[in-house]
Amino acid sequence: MELLFDKYVEDWGDCKGRAWCGTCHIEILEGNIDLQMDDDERHTLSKIHGRTSKSRLACQIPINEELNNIVFKMKPSS
């Protein structure tokens, strides 16, 4: 999430990476992230218009080798 906000997004979400606001909503286009969603992420995504089965919150995804070749797009805030 920090990489996205440093490079592409001007404002941080109100929750500062706690999975409460949905500002960092992304959609995975290619590849998979095996890390399971926790209840906070699932709850926040349930309130976001335009979510898909491939939606995630970037703040809940650690940067590691598992992200190699993952393609995603940032979803607009609604």
Side-chain angles (χ1 to χ4, degrees), residues 3-50:
L3 291 172
L4 291 176
F5 283 98
D6 283 347
K7 301 291 182 190
Y8 304 107
V9 179
E10 292 178 14
D11 295 323
W12 279 77
D14 291 336
C15 77
K16 305 287 190 260
R18 292 184 215 110
W20 298 341
C21 70
T23 303
C24 63
H25 179 205
I26 62 171
E27 181 178 5
I28 307 298
L29 301 176
E30 294 179 21
N32 292 303
I33 296 175
D34 293 330
L35 180 68
Q36 295 295 315
M37 265 188 233
D38 68 12
D39 290 337
D40 288 335
E41 181 178 8
R42 189 174 294 104
H43 176 72
T44 298
L45 285 171
S46 74
K47 299 184 293 181
I48 294 176
H49 178 73

Side-chain angles (χ1 to χ4, degrees), residues 25-33 37 41 45 51-57 61 70-73 75:
H25 179 205
I26 62 171
E27 181 178 5
I28 307 298
L29 301 176
E30 294 179 21
N32 292 303
I33 296 175
M37 265 188 233
E41 181 178 8
L45 285 171
R51 73 185 179 280
T52 71
S53 63
K54 298 292 240 167
S55 288
R56 294 297 304 258
L57 298 178
I61 301 170
I70 293 285
V71 177
F72 65 90
K73 70 177 177 178
K75 301 289 281 185

